[in-house]
């Protein structure tokens, strides 16, 4: 294997952290995004207040708010681990002393930064022999073990806030793994990435029972990564509020509503939700890409 064989190439782990990992961690950044950075202890301490705000100000059910927190904190970290396995054939050996989350102005944990930690690779990987690189038989196993060590206390704290079952909470983390290659502009589409994500989901000792689906599909606009989550974040339980005046809708929202008209009383499921059928999820994801590739 050479560096050019990596889906997102980098000559060293340090260059990977600087140039390639932000392709995933920064995928939702908006212009002018600001916030302060916090490690696991600070995030743990802030969770009750953030949960209370989600319930009190956004009308989330306690269970939904807890699941959102699991996804934002542990799910994002899991996504970074899976993204690195998928695109660099390397396992992030995350550590509690290194990982941080950017806390937005409203207190919500946002973008994750795993930090410059050690990585695990198989023999023959172009990074083998470099500082901070451990050569192992399979990098998936140690990467998953490190993830569970760091994410475990966070998952437990989040789920208890909304009395969410342990299995349901870890399903949110599995969905972070499965979604690692979805909705990432500029990411080459390659079956190897899907194989790596599936290997992480199916790894022995994984703490989740349910697994999302992810695949490469040929579409009218070319090959795409498409998937469906194994769980549900319960966002549909949040009261939708009054129907807006169509004249006030922005062009993006108006176009979506025209493509996917909502029937009276239909729950507002997400575009990758397990409560939608697979075809409905994939149709919405293809539409998302169509809009972003249109001139």
């Amino acid at each position: 294997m050479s560096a050019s064989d990596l889906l997102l190439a980098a000559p060293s782990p340090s260059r990977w952290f600087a140039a390639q990992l932000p392709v995933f961690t920064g995928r939702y950044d908006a212009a002018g995004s600001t916030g302060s950075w916090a490690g696991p202890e600070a995030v743990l301490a802030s969770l009750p207040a953030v949960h209370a705000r989600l319930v009190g100000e956004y009308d989330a059910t306690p269970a939904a708010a807890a699941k959102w927190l699991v996804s934002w904190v542990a799910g994002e970290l899991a996504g970074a681990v899976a993204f690195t396995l998928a695109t660099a054939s390397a396992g992030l050996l995350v550590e509690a002393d290194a990982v941080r989350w950017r806390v937005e102005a409203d207190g919500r944990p946002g973008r994750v930064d795993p930090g410059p930690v050690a990585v695990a690779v198989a023999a023959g990987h172009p990074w083998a022999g470099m500082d901070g690189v451990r050569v192992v038989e399979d990098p998936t196993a140690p990467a998953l073990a490190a993830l569970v060590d760091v994410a475990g206390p966070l998952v437990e704290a989040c789920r208890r806030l909304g009395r969410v079952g342990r299995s349901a909470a870890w399903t949110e983390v599995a969905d972070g793994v499965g979604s690692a290659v979805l909705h990432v502009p500029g990411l080459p589409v390659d079956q190897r990435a899907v194989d790596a994500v599936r290997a992480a989901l199916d790894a022995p000792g994984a703490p989740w029972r349910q697994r999302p689906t992810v695949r490469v599909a040929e579409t009218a606009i070319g090959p795409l990564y498409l998937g469906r989550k194994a769980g549900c974040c319960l966002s549909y339980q949040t009261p939708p509020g009054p129907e807006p005046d169509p004249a006030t809708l922005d062009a993006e929202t108006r176009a979506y509503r025209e493509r996917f008209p909502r029937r009276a009383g239909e729950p507002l499921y997400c575009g990758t939700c397990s409560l939608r059928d697979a075809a409905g999820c994939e149709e919405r994801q293809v539409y998302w890409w169509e809009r972003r590739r249109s001139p």
Side-chain angles (χ1 to χ4, degrees):
M1 177 187 288
S2 66
S4 61
D5 293 324
L6 304 180
L7 192 57
L8 292 179
S12 66
S14 62
R15 291 288 296 276
W16 165 263
F17 284 116
Q20 302 294 28
L21 187 56
V23 172
F24 173 81
T25 59
R27 68 199 185 286
Y28 297 137
D29 278 1
S33 293
T34 60
S36 58
W37 291 89
E41 288 189 7
V43 169
L44 275 170
S46 72
L47 290 175
V50 179
H51 184 269
R53 184 173 185 180
L54 292 171
V55 174
E57 297 184 20
Y58 295 92
D59 291 327
T61 65
K67 282 194 163 193
W68 298 351
L69 289 173
V70 173
S71 179
W72 295 341
V73 179
E76 277 295 295
L77 183 60
V81 171
F83 182 82
T84 307
L85 286 165
T87 62
S89 300
L92 290 180
L93 303 181
V94 295
E95 301 175 0
D97 291 341
V99 65
R100 302 178 302 161
W101 288 264
R102 188 176 65 199
V103 179
E104 309 298 343
D106 62 359
R108 178 180 64 85
R111 177 175 180 166
V112 70
D113 176 12
V117 294
V119 299
V121 302
H125 191 284
W127 299 346
M130 296 183 183
D131 290 343
V133 178
R134 303 176 191 175
V135 177
V136 299
E137 183 176 350
D138 176 9
T140 301
L144 185 63
L147 169 66
V148 173
D149 282 347
V150 175
L154 295 162
V155 172
E156 286 298 305
C158 291
R159 77 175 191 84
R160 287 172 181 163
L161 290 169
R163 297 183 180 180
V164 173
R166 184 172 287 110
S167 177
W170 277 106
T171 298
E172 294 296 312
V173 184
D175 284 337
V177 173
S179 301
V181 295
L182 304 180
H183 305 110
V184 184
L187 179 63
V189 180
D190 193 301
Q191 182 62 39
R192 292 177 299 168
V194 168
D195 293 342
V197 169
R198 290 174 177 170
L201 290 169
D202 294 338
W208 42 78
R209 297 178 183 176
Q210 304 298 321
R211 294 165 178 79
T213 61
V214 60
R215 70 186 185 105
V216 172
E218 291 294 334
T219 75
I221 59 172
L224 297 173
Y225 296 111
L226 301 177
R228 182 174 68 160
K229 292 181 178 180
C232 174
C233 68
L234 306 180
S235 290
Y236 75 92
Q237 295 179 353
T238 303
E243 186 68 15
D245 182 345
T248 66
L249 297 176
D250 59 66
E252 187 70 27
T253 302
R254 188 178 300 111
Y256 182 87
R257 287 184 169 220
E258 291 174 355
R259 179 72 171 267
F260 304 104
R262 183 177 168 225
R263 297 185 298 272
E266 181 183 6
L268 290 172
Y269 297 138
C270 301
T272 53
C273 184
S274 62
L275 299 182
R276 288 194 188 278
D277 60 32
C281 288
E282 294 190 351
E283 185 180 8
R284 286 164 174 78
Q285 291 164 64
V286 171
Y287 172 80
W288 187 89
W289 283 108
E290 288 173 348
R291 297 289 294 182
R292 276 143 191 82
R293 293 184 180 182
S294 61

